[in-house]
Amino acid sequence: MSDGTSTVERFMAVIKGVCQKTGHPMPPHLTPLAEGHAIPEPPPLKDALETAGLALDDAQSACLFANIVNLTITDGRVRDRSLVELAAETLRLDRESARDVQESLEARSQVNAFRDDDEWALFCAVLLAMAAADEEVVQSETAYLQRFVPDLKHIEAGKKFLKEKADTLDEEVARLSARQKRCLTAHAIGMMFIDGDYKGTERELLESLSDQMSLAQRDQDRLLKGLYALYNVSVLS
């Protein structure tokens, strides 16, 4: 790529290469970045990462790393650790930060922790409440929820839960397993960040849910760190 290559093009060249390597599709939150840019066929990933590492600042590198990790996860776990380690090294992430991002994104992907219809209704109710916390549900939030639930009937069940049993939401989330709590919190944070403009009311709801679930502050901070990096694509502009 020439010296005139833009930050977005460098970023997306790596992402395109990772998608080809892992077989994962381009995540919806990244597809708008490609609009208006000519994303060439990527060079070998090692070369593309080294070029990106030299060109991107720390925030941009953190965003790229999080998105690489996200694309290496299958069935709740990172499946290409050598790629993740190479990305952390070339993008200048320290070991603790890299681990925090990986663990937060693995936690989000473990939706198989939710098994029956009642648990999925609760999952959807929490995410619907987060989407509505800023008094405006946007298309990206609706699409986020549809992407992660196994059956759209659960979204309708979540709406019914909020209409009929909203006052029991705190009590119900407190009963979830530790794995379910981390996964649900990660998705609530994802819903908070997906529209690119999170508000104080959303953060207040997140704090309330975390308190009800007795989620350790360290766990909440790790989840916030990883999901913020994943969706912080505004640093590329």
Side-chain angles (χ1 to χ4, degrees):
M1 288 178 284
S2 70
D3 291 342
T5 302
S6 72
T7 298
V8 170
E9 287 166 352
R10 287 192 175 94
F11 182 100
M12 293 301 292
V14 175
I15 294 298
K16 188 174 182 179
V18 176
C19 287
Q20 291 175 354
K21 189 175 193 296
T22 63
H24 286 294
M26 186 75 68
H29 72 278
L30 294 183
T31 51
L33 290 177
E35 297 175 2
H37 293 275
I39 309 301
E41 283 301 308
L45 261 179
K46 186 174 186 297
D47 295 343
L49 279 166
E50 289 176 350
T51 299
L54 292 171
L56 303 183
D57 64 26
D58 289 347
Q60 292 165 346
S61 292
C63 181
L64 178 55
F65 177 76
N67 278 280
I68 291 170
V69 172
N70 186 51
L71 287 168
T72 66
I73 294 175
T74 301
D75 296 330
R77 297 295 177 193
V78 165
R79 301 301 177 185
D80 194 335
R81 295 189 180 279
S82 61
L83 174 57
V84 170
E85 290 170 2
L86 174 63
E89 179 181 354
T90 55
L91 297 173
R92 308 178 308 279
L93 269 82
D94 62 78
R95 182 173 298 182
E96 181 178 357
S97 293
R99 184 177 63 248
D100 285 349
V101 170
Q102 178 176 324
E103 290 181 0
S104 67
L105 297 179
E106 285 181 331
R108 186 184 72 144
S109 70
Q110 292 169 5
V111 291
N112 59 355
F114 293 84
R115 299 172 296 271
D116 60 35
D117 288 354
D118 289 340
E119 289 177 349
W120 274 111
L122 179 60
F123 176 96
C124 292
V126 170
L127 266 63
L128 288 165
M130 181 60 77
D134 60 358
E135 300 181 352
E136 181 183 9
V137 179
V138 297
Q139 193 277 332
S140 59
E141 292 170 327
T142 301
Y144 182 101
L145 187 53
Q146 291 173 342
R147 180 183 174 205
F148 285 101
V149 297
D151 193 316
L152 296 184
K153 71 177 184 180
H154 299 311
I155 298 177
E156 295 306 314
K159 292 176 180 177
K160 183 177 180 181
F161 184 104
L162 288 178
K163 183 177 181 180
E164 299 178 357
K165 300 188 295 181
D167 58 337
T168 69
L169 190 64
D170 289 347
E171 179 183 341
E172 292 297 328
V173 297
R175 294 176 179 173
L176 295 174
S177 69
R179 185 164 171 248
Q180 289 173 324
K181 289 174 181 177
R182 286 192 295 271
C183 179
L184 181 57
T185 302
H187 279 285
I189 294 170
M191 185 69 85
M192 184 172 72
F193 287 144
I194 192 64
D195 62 358
D197 182 28
Y198 75 95
K199 295 181 173 62
T201 51
E202 294 171 311
R203 186 60 186 262
E204 289 171 7
L205 177 57
L206 177 64
E207 294 289 349
S208 175
L209 288 168
S210 297
D211 288 345
Q212 293 302 321
M213 291 188 284
S214 300
L215 190 70
Q217 188 63 47
R218 177 73 181 99
D219 286 338
Q220 182 179 334
D221 291 344
R222 181 185 295 117
L223 294 170
L224 278 165
K225 183 177 185 178
L227 273 297
Y228 178 77
L230 182 71
Y231 291 114
N232 191 28
V233 294
S234 63
V235 297
L236 301 174
S237 58

